[in-house]
Amino acid sequence: MPPSRFEPSTIKNKIKREEIAGKQKKAKRQEKLQKRLVQAKAEANDPLLKKKRLAQNVPRTLDNTREFDPSILTANPNAEAGPSTLASQEDPANGEKQPEQQPEDESAADIANDPFAAYFSGAVDPSVPPKVLVTTSPKATRTTYDFCDELVGIFPGAEFIRRKKGKGFEMGRIAGWAANRGYSHLMVVNEDSKKTNAITMVYLPSGPTAYFKLTSVELSQKISGHARATTHYPELVLNGFVTRLGHTVGRLFQTFFPPMPEFQGRQVVTLHNQRDFLFFRRHRYAFRSTEKVALQEIGPRFTLKLRSLKKGLPAVKNLGAPSKHLEFDAEENEQERQALKDVEMGESAAQEENEEQDAQPAKQSQKVVPPTEDEFLWMWKPELETTRRTFFL
């Protein structure tokens, strides 16, 4: 019995087989086209049909099917976007499932007590940009220096200082040095094999410290038709930060910019979070007419991914400290000198020196000293990503 459906593959002649297969594909394309035209005509007469079709034909993506995390501050960020497999609670009244929601008082307490509360409470002068110290890893190359120049142009109060070589210039010591000199942020750009691969951001004087992997770096000169940056304070747009960890990262980036942007500069910095990748872009508004506006990219472009978040400053594990017996020798010499002064100058001079010594520890206590051990608030590990739909920001 011959098959009911004719297959061109049964034809042995190659030319004839390709001709028949081409005719069948063309017929299928014409059939689909006619079907779409009929559907478009029906939807033009009845707009409700188009809304119904769009509501039913929602594609399933990793974004709208992400697994729900109890740390998400919104009830369900993808409830209206389409089908979702987020964990939810069942409502016994109507049998429907209601998404979990983070307690508002708990999240508000976290925001009120986090290290960035002083910035958002208005204690900082909004007209003064935060002082940002930008430096590099030891033995950096020209590629990293060029990228640091771009970072200095992005943040209004940024300043670049080359990192010296040798011991005693660990990241924790640099953070303490910068905090004691009025800097509010430290940014260290790391490179590997003459390519920038990571950024460490430290909020001074008490942390936290965020470590990001850096990829897809494209400087402004490489962007076709890029605009020129000005010294105006840019606007900041943050997208997609829905969890507690995401809010902490977003608030950290907010503190790098002045609270009050200068709108006459028409510059906007965007940090878009998608699947835990932070896409950085900088544009300028271009008003084509009174009704149309376009965006002209300034640059640079790069992508960040959070790897760890530490509570305080980077730790210094006595890498450049002198040995203990040298410290004791120094203390004995100071005691001998003190005894000689007491004998020569008398009791009155000794009392004055004691008062000065009491005042010195008070001044030294105000200095920022890096810790000796790191305390991680969050660290990425491969076992945390149980599925491809697990995100943390």
Side-chain angles (χ1 to χ4, degrees):
M1 183 177 178
S4 59
R5 180 179 178 182
F6 174 73
E7 296 292 342
S9 59
T10 58
I11 302 177
K12 295 183 179 181
N13 189 297
K14 179 181 178 181
I15 298 176
K16 189 67 175 179
R17 183 171 63 247
E18 292 178 350
E19 181 182 354
I20 298 299
K23 290 181 179 179
Q24 286 188 354
K25 290 182 180 180
K26 184 177 180 181
K28 288 182 180 179
R29 290 196 299 266
Q30 292 295 327
E31 183 180 356
K32 290 183 179 180
L33 177 60
Q34 295 299 327
K35 184 178 179 180
R36 289 197 299 267
L37 293 176
V38 172
Q39 186 180 15
K41 186 176 180 180
E43 291 177 351
N45 298 330
D46 188 2
L48 295 178
L49 292 177
K50 184 176 182 180
K51 293 183 179 180
K52 183 179 179 180
R53 177 176 60 85
L54 295 178
Q56 293 177 351
N57 300 336
V58 177
R60 294 175 59 87
T61 63
L62 294 178
D63 295 323
N64 62 18
T65 59
R66 69 176 293 178
E67 290 187 350
F68 185 75
D69 188 351
S71 65
I72 292 180
L73 298 179
T74 55
N76 187 343
N78 307 306
E80 299 179 358
S84 176
T85 58
L86 301 180
S88 57
Q89 296 178 343
E90 185 174 354
D91 189 0
N94 52 13
E96 297 180 355
K97 291 185 177 181
Q98 300 295 333
E100 296 178 359
Q101 187 172 1
Q102 188 72 21
E104 295 182 0
D105 54 349
E106 188 175 353
S107 60
D110 290 344
I111 294 176
N113 298 325
D114 68 353
F116 318 114
Y119 174 86
F120 294 95
S121 63
V124 181
D125 188 0
S127 61
V128 178
K131 290 184 63 178
V132 182
L133 175 60
V134 181
T135 186
T136 64
S137 58
K139 300 181 181 179
T141 59
R142 173 54 54 187
T143 303
T144 305
Y145 291 143
D146 292 341
F147 181 69
C148 291
D149 291 340
E150 297 276 0
L151 294 179
V152 172
I154 293 172
F155 305 107
E159 177 185 0
F160 175 72
I161 298 179
R162 289 202 177 193
R163 186 171 178 175
K164 294 184 179 180
K165 302 177 183 178
K167 294 183 179 180
F169 294 96
E170 296 83 6
M171 193 182 304
R173 298 183 187 276
I174 295 176
W177 180 90
N180 295 328
R181 284 158 179 78
Y183 289 93
S184 60
H185 298 80
L186 171 65
M187 183 177 296
V188 181
V189 181
N190 187 68
E191 74 167 31
D192 185 22
S193 301
K194 298 184 179 180
K195 292 183 179 180
T196 54
N197 67 336
I199 291 182
T200 303
M201 298 182 180
V202 186
Y203 183 74
L204 303 176
S206 58
T209 302
Y211 176 74
F212 298 89
K213 295 297 292 183
L214 176 65
T215 56
S216 304
V217 178
E218 190 170 358
L219 302 182
S220 300
Q221 296 179 353
K222 301 296 183 179
I223 300 175
S224 177
H226 70 89
R228 291 186 178 181
T230 60
T231 58
H232 296 90
Y233 300 162
E235 304 174 51
L236 180 62
V237 178
L238 300 175
N239 292 329
F241 298 92
V242 297
T243 64
R244 282 187 175 185
L245 181 62
H247 274 225
T248 302
V249 174
R251 288 166 68 86
L252 172 63
F253 276 98
Q254 280 184 278
T255 57
F256 277 88
F257 297 91
M260 291 296 295
E262 297 177 349
F263 296 101
Q264 62 269 25
R266 297 181 288 113
Q267 294 184 141
V268 55
V269 173
T270 305
L271 197 68
H272 177 71
N273 174 35
Q274 186 171 1
R275 304 177 189 177
D276 286 352
F277 287 93
L278 309 182
F279 298 93
F280 181 92
R281 299 292 185 271
R282 183 167 61 151
H283 297 85
R284 171 178 286 117
Y285 296 112
F287 295 99
R288 307 302 184 189
S289 64
T290 56
E291 298 179 354
K292 294 183 179 182
V293 62
L295 290 177
Q296 184 181 12
E297 187 169 2
I298 301 175
R301 303 174 184 171
F302 55 87
T303 304
L304 302 173
K305 189 166 187 181
L306 182 66
R307 290 302 186 185
S308 66
L309 184 67
K310 301 177 185 178
K311 185 175 182 180
L313 302 181
V316 178
K317 301 179 181 180
N318 298 326
L319 295 178
S323 58
K324 291 186 178 180
H325 68 276
L326 293 177
E327 296 177 359
F328 288 127
D329 292 344
E331 292 179 359
E332 291 177 359
N333 293 334
E334 290 180 0
Q335 292 177 1
E336 292 177 359
R337 293 176 183 175
Q338 184 67 29
L340 292 174
K341 289 182 179 180
D342 292 341
V343 174
E344 294 175 357
M345 301 180 66
E347 295 179 356
S348 60
Q351 292 178 357
E352 294 177 359
E353 290 176 357
N354 291 333
E355 293 176 356
E356 292 177 359
Q357 290 178 358
D358 293 337
Q360 287 179 359
K363 295 180 180 179
Q364 293 178 357
S365 61
Q366 298 177 358
K367 293 184 178 180
V368 178
V369 179
T372 57
E373 295 293 336
D374 289 323
E375 183 178 355
F376 287 90
L377 298 176
W378 183 85
M379 178 186 292
W380 180 86
K381 297 179 181 179
E383 54 266 23
L384 294 178
E385 295 185 355
T386 55
T387 64
R388 296 181 61 201
R389 296 178 283 107
T390 303
F391 307 114
F392 307 101
L393 298 183

